[in-house]
């Protein structure tokens, strides 16, 4: 009896404890294996493994082309309608008549809008790795229009050559007749088109998360798995970035349309998380895209446009050049090329300058090289990303083959 009582008094192990421990060890081993596979895949870049990276990039490109061809064939009715409209426009474009004036106008407007929409898409697509086309293209364009407007006293630049080249109108304008709103109106179309492009570029994260949720969240989908881990760990997180991500998630999830609008209306590097959150919680497409389009193409774009116009207004630019000259020792030597560059640009506006001397164009030369470097980096990141996608595809195929054996 005593022995039986002693055995009864001892703590007995639960039957599921060992299984639970084994489950934890299995999960940790799987997580470690996936982490190692991910590190190996991220090491697949042009400057480390150029031959393999380019090979995988070409194979992934062929696969994507095949997938897009199949999707176009599945929507052949829509494709046929688009081709029919293009044929009609081509016929109207090549036929002489009174309508040519309107055709030329539509062509010019369409190409101008498509150019800025494309730059907007490049700026936001790719989960934050896009080309910063606002700093490279739209910002300098708004700055050029602002400087020209104050110099010419008018925004009625002759077309052509505007927008390819800005030239002051022959009649000129009255001194002080330029207002902030007149400059904003001049660049409104391209700014709004660029903002609409950034809204379109936010759709891939939304569709990725939505497809993963509808398919039952495939555990082999590492992007979606990382998002779920972030949701689980955000409750106890104390660092600023994680708390900021959690704030964006809660705002989008709880407030809905106006939460998305608020996140899209300010410069927000975490907005990709808003798209993933909306897709994860099955927010309707038009709720997400409508709020994103209004926020980015109207609200945020006017904020950024206003900032650039104020920064490059005539008196602010003169003050900045004066401040450069007040820097001890190197100030005058730095102020001279800036002053010469601005003077050369003013001369071009009045057809006085022709081509500026080489020593006055070094700022343009530096800017062109910066643009070239950033574009090359963007193209390289696309090659690396597609090569890594093919490596991930190979890994998933190996895992599927192992499960079928």
């Amino acid at each position: 009896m005593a022995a039986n009582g002693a055995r009864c008094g001892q703590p007995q192990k639960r039957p599921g404890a060992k299984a639970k421990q084994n489950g934890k060890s299995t999960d940790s081993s799987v997580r470690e294996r996936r982490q190692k596979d991910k590190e190996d895949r991220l090491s697949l870049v042009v400057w480390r493994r150029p031959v393999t990276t380019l090979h995988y990039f070409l194979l992934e490109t062929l696969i994507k082309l095949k997938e897009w061809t199949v999707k176009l064939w599945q929507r052949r009715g829509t494709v046929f309608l688009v081709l029919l409209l293009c044929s009609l426009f081509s016929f109207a474009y090549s036929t002489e008549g009174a309508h040519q004036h309107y055709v030329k106008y539509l062509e010019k407007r369409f190409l101008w809008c498509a150019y800025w929409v494309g730059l907007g898409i490049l700026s936001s697509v790719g989960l934050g790795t896009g080309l910063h086309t606002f700093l490279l293209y739209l910002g300098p364009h708004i700055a050029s229009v602002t400087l020209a407007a104050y110099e010419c006293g008018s925004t009625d630049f002759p077309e052509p050559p505007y927008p390819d080249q800005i030239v002051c109108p022959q009649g000129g304008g009255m001194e002080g007749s330029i207002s902030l709103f007149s400059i904003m109106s001049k660049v409104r179309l391209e700014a709004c088109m660029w903002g609409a492009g950034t809204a379109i570029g936010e759709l891939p994260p939304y569709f990725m998360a939505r497809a993963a949720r509808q398919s039952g969240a495939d555990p082999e989908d590492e992007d979606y798995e990382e998002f779920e881990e972030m949701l689980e760990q955000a409750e106890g997180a104390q660092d600023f970035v994680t708390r900021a991500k959690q704030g964006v998630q809660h705002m989008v999830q709880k407030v809905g349309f106006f939460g998305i609008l608020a996140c899209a209306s300010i410069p927000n590097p975490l907005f990709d998380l808003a798209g993933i959150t909306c897709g994860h919680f099955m927010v309707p497409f038009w709720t997400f895209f409508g709020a994103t389009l209004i926020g980015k193409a109207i609200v945020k774009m006017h904020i950024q446009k206003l900032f650039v116009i104020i920064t490059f207004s005539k008196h602010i630019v003169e003050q900045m050049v004066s401040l450069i000259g007040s820097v001890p020792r190197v100030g005058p030597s730095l102020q001279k090329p800036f002053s010469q560059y601005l003077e050369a640009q003013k001369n071009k506006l009045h057809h006085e300058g022709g081509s500026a001397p080489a020593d006055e164009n070094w700022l343009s030369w530096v800017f062109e090289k910066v643009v070239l470097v950033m574009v090359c980096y963007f193209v390289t990141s696309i090659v690396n990303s597609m090569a890594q996608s093919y490596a991930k595809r190979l890994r998933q195929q190996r895992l599927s083959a192992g499960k079928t054996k």
Side-chain angles (χ1 to χ4, degrees), residues 99-402:
H99 64 282
Q100 281 295 323
H101 173 73
Y102 302 100
V103 170
K104 295 290 185 181
Y105 176 80
L106 290 176
E107 179 193 19
K108 181 180 178 181
R109 286 298 179 181
F110 174 78
L111 293 177
W112 184 242
C113 293
Y115 173 76
W116 289 110
V117 169
L119 289 178
I121 293 173
L122 290 177
S123 181
S124 61
V125 75
L127 290 172
T129 60
L131 186 67
H132 300 289
T133 53
F134 182 86
L135 296 177
L136 297 178
Y137 296 98
L138 183 59
H141 172 70
I142 297 175
S144 300
V145 172
T146 302
L147 293 173
Y150 280 105
E151 175 64 22
C152 301
S154 172
T155 58
D156 296 326
F157 310 127
E159 301 183 26
Y162 182 83
D164 297 326
Q165 182 184 358
I166 303 178
V167 177
C168 290
Q170 292 183 354
M174 297 179 60
E175 186 72 22
S177 61
I178 290 299
S179 66
L180 189 66
F181 297 103
S182 62
I183 302 175
M184 292 178 67
S185 300
K186 186 66 176 178
V187 296
R188 179 174 292 123
L189 177 62
E190 47 265 47
C192 290
M193 289 299 104
W194 185 87
T198 61
I200 296 172
E202 300 292 351
L203 293 179
Y206 169 82
F207 284 123
M208 180 271 296
R210 187 181 180 91
R213 184 65 182 270
Q214 288 176 338
S215 63
D218 184 5
E220 298 299 333
D221 189 340
E222 294 179 2
D223 295 330
Y224 192 72
E225 184 177 312
E226 289 178 2
F227 172 68
E228 287 191 324
E229 288 179 0
M230 188 276 295
L231 292 180
E232 294 174 358
Q233 298 173 1
E235 297 296 332
Q238 298 298 324
D239 60 289
F240 174 77
V241 175
T242 305
R243 283 189 281 115
K245 291 181 178 179
Q246 186 182 8
V248 171
Q249 175 217 333
H250 283 316
M251 178 179 291
V252 171
Q253 184 182 357
K254 301 296 183 183
V255 184
F257 178 89
F258 293 101
I260 303 170
L261 179 63
C263 291
S265 298
I266 57 175
N268 184 4
L270 301 177
F271 189 78
D272 288 327
L273 182 63
I276 296 176
T277 303
C278 290
H280 175 76
F281 292 107
M282 304 298 291
V283 174
F285 170 77
W286 286 111
T287 300
F288 169 72
F289 185 67
T292 304
L293 184 64
I294 295 172
K296 286 184 171 289
I298 299 178
V299 182
K300 178 185 172 184
M301 199 60 257
H302 277 79
I303 295 174
Q304 292 178 296
K305 183 169 56 173
L306 186 65
F307 174 79
V308 175
I309 292 173
I310 293 176
T311 302
F312 286 90
S313 59
K314 185 176 181 179
H315 62 284
I316 296 293
V317 172
E318 292 174 352
Q319 289 178 3
M320 287 192 294
V321 174
S322 300
L323 287 175
I324 292 175
S326 63
V327 177
R329 295 184 181 180
V330 296
S333 59
L334 288 177
Q335 185 186 37
K336 182 179 178 180
F338 278 97
S339 300
Q340 291 177 341
Y341 177 78
L342 291 174
E343 189 63 31
Q345 298 306 310
K346 292 178 181 179
N347 292 336
K348 286 182 181 180
L349 293 174
H350 297 286
H351 286 283
E352 296 176 5
S355 59
D359 58 345
E360 296 179 5
N361 280 334
W362 70 271
L363 288 176
S364 299
W365 184 87
V366 169
F367 182 75
E368 290 175 0
K369 296 304 177 285
V370 170
V371 171
L372 181 62
V373 169
M374 295 188 70
V375 170
C376 291
Y377 175 77
F378 178 65
V379 173
T380 304
S381 67
I382 292 177
V383 174
N384 293 337
S385 177
M386 293 188 67
Q388 292 165 9
S389 297
Y390 185 78
K392 181 179 179 180
R393 191 188 299 272
L394 289 179
R395 173 181 172 273
Q396 292 176 345
Q397 290 176 355
R398 286 195 299 266
L399 290 175
S400 301

